[in-house]
Amino acid sequence: MGTLPDIAALSFEEALKALEDVVRKLESGEAPLDESIELYARGDALRAHCQKRLDAAQARIEAIVSDRDGKPVGTRPFDEASA
């Protein structure tokens, strides 16, 4: 499969594109069994990376502080969001 970039170093967009490429290759059915297994494992790692990035983004969004009318008035550090 060649040299692949470290998943942890990928942005969400890069990881999503790589995941789409993996899915496309698997769906084509042209990869030999051993390569398909490697692709599947990489795809699972890419999916987990994307989910982690999405979860972090959601937590940041949820940390927006609202006033009594529900209008955002600022933000608070993510650490305080779980308190």
Side-chain angles (χ1 to χ4, degrees):
M1 282 186 353
T3 304
L4 299 170
D6 180 34
I7 292 172
L10 298 175
S11 69
F12 173 80
E13 293 78 10
E14 292 167 333
L16 185 58
K17 182 179 181 330
L19 180 56
E20 290 169 347
D21 291 343
V22 165
V23 170
R24 198 172 301 111
K25 288 176 186 174
L26 287 171
E27 286 180 341
S28 76
E30 295 177 12
L33 180 60
D34 289 341
E35 183 181 347
S36 293
I37 293 168
E38 289 177 26
L39 283 167
Y40 186 87
R42 182 158 177 83
D44 189 51
L46 287 162
R47 180 209 51 81
H49 177 71
C50 287
Q51 188 62 55
K52 182 178 175 183
R53 299 292 299 256
L54 286 172
D55 291 345
Q58 181 178 357
R60 290 177 60 197
I61 291 168
E62 290 173 354
I64 295 173
V65 180
S66 301
D67 65 11
R68 289 191 303 186
D69 298 323
K71 296 178 184 175
V73 294
T75 60
R76 63 177 174 248
F78 173 66
D79 294 335
E80 293 178 16
S82 60

